[in-house]
Amino acid sequence: MSDSNTTHFTNPSTFILLGIPGLEAAYVWISILFCTMYVTAILGNFTILFTVKIDPSLHGPMYYFLCMLAVTDLVESTSIVPKMLSIFWFNSREIDFRSCLTQLYFIHCFSGMESGIFVAMALDRYVAICDPLRHSTLLTKSIVAKIGLAMMLRSGLLALPFPLLVRQWPYCRTNIIPQSYCAHIAVVKLACANIHISSYYGLFVVLCVMGLDAIFIALSYTQIIRAIFSLPTKDARIKTFETCISHLCSILAFYMPSLFFSLMYRFVQNVPLHFHILIANVYLLMPPVLNPIIYGVRTKQIRDRLIRFFTRKGT
């Protein structure tokens, strides 16, 4: 006798996103939190883009990379939050199979792109501190554009196998995803096939993208710290190091939750499911929220430009 609760299919037309199973009673408060974070991310990143656009003094490599980071954060957060809120507010749990694959691709593509942009920003800080006289000649607009294009192609190509692999697996158990968005590992776990290739490829991408990027960033900052300590006075060392604080804070906001979530998801088995899902959501939403706040507060040029703009508007 077949199980009436099991759906038998080869290629599902839709998936069902459960949201955060076990926390349905708190959906209103969770939705307020995520909506606030999303609005903060939208306003903050658009403010960064607007500030850099209207101020010619900010038209330099550091701020071009910052604009790339803002666009990446906007796309990544927009790819998941609207659907997430529709689950919490309207109980709209269905997501088309192709839409699920698209969301999955955007999540992995723009996460990888954000990691690559942090490497580019580390390169900018390295040149600015270790070879300041050649900074403007080494990092021209053309070179910055090529670096941005290279980061986009790398992340786009590495993320492409994720939806392709998901699409080829047969699904004969269920189409219910116990999360609020289409994460790669959560989708492939529904397949009734040997999914080791998907699991191994996901681990390969984590090591290839975030692992190598973290190594490049560490090497850059090793040279930066050596250059800082070679400066003659304490004030000069502090002032130079302060130009890196915003970048370091953004790196920590991106890599630490990512590392924690990846390790927890793969190796920790006794954590409740709803805690897994909350951590996954925060992991994706935290960088888009924090990056514009960090750079808006810590970067003097952006802070001063915003103060002048709003003071003039108020006057």
Side-chain angles (χ1 to χ4, degrees), residues 168-179:
Q168 79 169 8
W169 302 130
Y171 297 87
C172 57
R173 296 192 183 102
T174 181
N175 64 339
I176 298 174
I177 301 174
Q179 287 196 195

Side-chain angles (χ1 to χ4, degrees), residues 155-174:
S155 58
L157 291 175
L158 285 175
L160 190 58
F162 285 117
L164 295 180
L165 289 171
V166 169
R167 189 172 184 175
Q168 79 169 8
W169 302 130
Y171 297 87
C172 57
R173 296 192 183 102
T174 181

Side-chain angles (χ1 to χ4, degrees), residues 45 48-49 52 60-75 110 113-114 116-118 120-121 140-152 291:
N45 286 291
I48 294 292
L49 292 172
V52 174
M62 173 183 172
Y63 302 102
Y64 291 143
F65 289 133
L66 182 56
C67 288
M68 294 179 195
L69 184 65
V71 172
T72 300
D73 284 338
L74 286 170
V75 175
F110 284 89
M113 197 178 304
E114 184 156 355
I117 292 170
F118 283 129
M121 297 174 88
T140 62
K141 288 184 180 181
S142 174
I143 296 298
V144 169
K146 290 177 181 178
I147 292 173
L149 180 61
M151 294 299 103
M152 184 172 64
N291 287 335

Side-chain angles (χ1 to χ4, degrees), residues 8 10 70 74 97 110 160 172 201 209 211 227 258 265 274 300 311:
H8 297 274
T10 302
L74 286 170
F97 183 66
F110 284 89
L160 190 58
C172 57
Y201 184 74
V209 174
S258 174
Y265 202 92
H274 61 263
K300 184 177 185 299
T311 301

Side-chain angles (χ1 to χ4, degrees), residues 12 42 59 79 92 100 103 112 131 138 144 172 183-184 194 222 228 238 244 258 261 282 296 309:
I42 294 293
H59 293 179
S79 68
S92 176
C100 184
Q103 185 185 63
D131 199 359
L138 290 176
V144 169
C172 57
H184 171 251
N194 189 332
T222 300
I228 289 175
I238 293 174
C244 302
S258 174
F261 175 66
V282 171
F309 176 78

